[in-house]
Amino acid sequence: MSESTTETGTDVRETDVLVVGSGIAGCAAALAAARSGANVLVATKATAPEDASTDWAQGGIAVTGEDPETFREDVLDASDGTADPEAVDILVGDARDAVEDVLVDTLGVPFDGAPAGAGLDDYDHGREAAHSERRILHVNASTGGHVLRPFLNYLRDHDGVTFLEDAMALDLLTHEGRVHGVHLLREGSVEPVFAGATVLATGGIGACYGTTTNPDGATGDGVAMAAFAGARIADMQYVQFHPTAYPGDDPFLVSEAVRGEGAILRNGEGERFMPGVHDDAELAPRDVVARAVKDERDRTGEVRLDVSPVEPDFRTEFPDLAELCDERDVDPEDGIPVAPAEHYLCGGIAVDERGRTTLDRLFAAGECARTGVHGANRLASTSLLEGLVWGLRAGETAADAGADAAERIETQEPLDSDPELPDEFASAKYARLRETMDSAVGVERTHADLERARSTIRRLKGEVDAYTRTRVSRSLYELRNATVCALLVARAASEAPSAGCHHVVDADAEGSTNGGARADD
């Protein structure tokens, strides 16, 4: 990365490859680009690992075993038959080499069951919902943190990678269909960063919902910026809800791996209900289980996860989750209260097999990208894998595109002329947004509710836009981005047929297929 000084004395950053985001996808992109000889700048809102969704990932990372075709079929089946077969082939084909190269050989992630650095087949392999066999590498029930933290440390020591933390990307810098970098908000001021190629790896949209398993910063920044710049956005209707999140004041995710080890779901009357819903019972696809949990909570008042069948016992097998229960005075022996919570965006910025978007020199990877792998419903423990595989592909390709290609263009800094808004402004708008999304664009949807949501969010977006025209702050731009993403979800959902985690319960749930969307409505 280079810096030069303008006539006003302001340093202007230039880099071969700019990566926005520091979860597994962003780290993988940075690693691949640096390995290819590029100078890489990683700009991230995060100030600590737990600010990234990767750090929150519990279950693990799926790897291809002796039967790749079975893995492929599981991904396709979980997607309700809507995943892109070519994208699934890439995921399954790259999985083993990517995990072994990066997570085992380079980072030494201490997966359970064998010493760090062992062969992939030597580790313990878990099973989760919709997997037909045990293929998931894990570290207790906190795999994400054991992946991300050594990844960040490794990259910080890499000569070709520079980090800018607590830096929010506001907008893409574009000219005639090419992306030249971003405007960054850092330390209270806005600065342009010019790059030969830009990779968006900004995570999900949990901030759009009242209950989510995402960190607070999951405000859909990459999706919104790409949509504003005119990139194709696809499959936004597919928002996956995790069926087993603790629903108290301090929620947490109860890993699907617990059900993979035998835990069962019981309703408020103590009855096990999943065998009557799906042949795979508790190990049915997530969308099926989430709807069943919602229905039983509505009918009987609560659902609890009975962990007594876990061997040798829950506390021994999942000490991290047991500790989370203890912190909330939840006794696992009584069953863990659970409810669906927004978990993962299966759609996003449309990309090809190398992470290229429809805009020149713009790439995307991870949850903000729509690769086609997940279709209408993501198979458990494929999010870290997709972020790793497409991050490596995007980073390598971005390095080729961005080598010595950073080009400055004239930019117009966002206007910041009006007084800062009180904190209550954003909190009130978020409350309205989340109530709308929770009630109308949740686990089950109707066309009437979706149209109501679309109208409400369109008005809310107009109100927020009026303030962003003359003010610059992280909280305001995050609100803008969350509102844009919510509108894209509601719009796509109102136009798309029911499938997977987009479950429309009208008698006539037919609609037109969503071929793409933009930031306007």
Side-chain angles (χ1 to χ4, degrees):
M1 187 186 71
S2 64
E3 292 184 357
S4 59
T5 304
T6 66
E7 293 180 358
T8 60
T10 303
D11 290 333
V12 177
R13 301 178 194 272
E14 292 183 0
T15 187
D16 295 333
V17 176
L18 170 65
V19 177
V20 183
S22 58
I24 190 171
C27 287
L31 174 65
R35 282 177 169 179
S36 297
N39 290 316
V40 182
L41 174 63
V42 179
T44 175
K45 294 194 302 184
T47 57
E50 56 266 28
D51 293 339
S53 293
T54 295
D55 198 67
W56 292 40
Q58 291 184 358
I61 185 166
V63 292
T64 307
E66 295 180 354
D67 187 5
E69 183 59 27
T70 300
F71 190 7
R72 181 180 184 275
E73 290 174 357
D74 287 348
V75 176
L76 289 169
D77 289 346
S79 77
D80 202 8
T82 62
D84 178 350
E86 293 182 2
V88 177
D89 286 343
I90 290 171
L91 184 80
V92 174
D94 284 12
R96 195 172 182 87
D97 288 345
V99 171
E100 194 162 36
D101 169 24
V102 178
L103 304 189
V104 176
D105 294 343
T106 302
L107 303 181
V109 175
F111 291 115
D112 291 345
L120 293 189
D121 295 331
D122 297 325
Y123 295 112
D124 176 59
H125 291 72
R127 184 183 176 194
E128 296 186 18
H131 285 269
S132 59
E133 62 184 37
R134 303 178 75 90
R135 62 166 68 95
I136 299 165
L137 301 179
H138 54 89
V139 186
N140 195 347
S142 55
T143 306
H146 289 277
V147 169
L148 183 59
R149 293 166 191 240
F151 214 155
L152 291 170
N153 291 336
Y154 180 87
L155 290 174
R156 287 191 177 105
D157 290 336
H158 198 294
D159 291 339
V161 181
T162 302
F163 276 80
L164 282 180
E165 297 181 331
D166 199 12
M168 180 177 178
L170 301 179
D171 293 296
L172 294 170
L173 305 178
T174 63
H175 180 65
E176 296 182 347
R178 175 180 168 181
V179 173
H180 292 264
V182 301
H183 269 129
L184 278 185
L185 175 62
R186 184 168 178 263
E187 296 179 348
S189 62
V190 177
E191 61 179 275
V193 176
F194 296 103
T198 301
V199 182
L200 297 177
T202 54
I205 63 167
C208 296
Y209 287 85
T211 304
T212 179
T213 64
N214 292 185
D216 292 341
T219 50
D221 302 334
V223 175
M225 288 191 298
F228 275 120
R232 180 172 175 260
I233 311 296
D235 287 352
M236 289 294 286
Q237 69 270 23
Y238 298 138
V239 179
Q240 185 180 73
F241 291 79
H242 199 289
T244 54
Y246 172 69
D249 293 336
D250 189 10
F252 67 95
L253 179 65
V254 183
S255 172
E256 208 154 77
V258 182
R259 283 178 279 133
E261 295 301 322
I264 59 179
L265 291 161
R266 298 187 184 278
N267 62 24
E269 297 169 356
E271 300 169 337
R272 184 184 183 191
F273 55 88
M274 280 308 302
V277 175
H278 194 278
D279 289 344
D280 292 333
E282 280 78 9
L283 295 184
R286 278 183 181 167
D287 62 312
V288 175
V289 182
R291 289 194 294 272
V293 169
K294 175 189 180 298
D295 290 345
E296 290 300 312
R297 280 174 55 86
D298 290 345
R299 188 176 72 86
T300 69
E302 70 170 358
V303 169
R304 288 180 178 260
L305 187 65
D306 177 359
V307 299
S308 61
V310 175
E311 294 183 352
D313 62 74
F314 175 71
R315 289 187 177 277
T316 301
E317 191 69 13
F318 299 101
D320 292 354
L321 290 175
E323 183 177 348
L324 291 173
C325 289
D326 292 342
E327 291 172 355
R328 294 157 179 80
D329 295 324
V330 174
D331 186 352
E333 292 186 5
D334 296 333
I336 303 171
V338 293
E342 189 280 337
H343 185 57
Y344 193 87
L345 176 65
C346 297
I349 308 164
V351 300
D352 67 7
E353 75 281 357
R354 303 300 307 184
R356 290 177 287 234
T357 73
T358 55
L359 297 179
D360 186 26
R361 311 297 175 93
L362 180 67
F363 300 76
E367 191 173 352
C368 72
R370 185 272 185 192
T371 64
V373 162
H374 306 307
N377 183 61
R378 179 172 68 80
L379 179 66
S381 286
T382 56
S383 58
L384 293 180
L385 180 61
E386 185 205 31
L388 177 64
V389 167
W390 257 267
L392 293 173
R393 284 171 162 258
E396 182 180 24
T397 309
D400 291 339
D404 301 319
E407 180 182 332
R408 296 190 191 186
I409 60 172
E410 290 187 12
T411 64
Q412 184 172 354
E413 187 174 309
L415 186 61
D416 189 20
S417 58
D418 285 346
E420 186 173 346
L421 295 168
D423 294 339
E424 292 78 9
F425 174 85
S427 61
K429 301 297 183 186
Y430 270 124
R432 186 167 149 207
L433 175 67
R434 290 163 178 165
E435 188 282 327
T436 301
M437 294 297 285
D438 286 346
S439 63
V441 202
V443 175
E444 294 182 334
R445 303 161 178 181
T446 69
H447 282 113
D449 282 345
L450 290 171
E451 286 302 323
R452 173 176 62 83
R454 189 169 170 173
S455 177
T456 299
I457 299 168
R458 188 188 299 117
R459 290 195 299 272
L460 179 59
K461 176 181 177 293
E463 295 169 12
V464 175
D465 285 348
Y467 289 96
T468 56
R469 292 191 187 101
T470 56
R471 293 173 175 84
V472 175
S473 71
R474 171 170 168 168
S475 62
L476 186 57
Y477 269 74
E478 286 181 325
L479 175 62
R480 178 203 72 169
N481 294 339
T483 305
V484 167
C485 288
L487 184 56
L488 291 172
V489 171
R491 171 180 158 177
S494 69
E495 298 174 351
S498 183
C501 58
H502 168 51
H503 187 67
V504 184
V505 297
D506 298 64
D508 177 13
E510 294 300 317
S512 59
T513 300
N514 177 47
R518 294 181 60 160
D520 53 0
D521 192 48

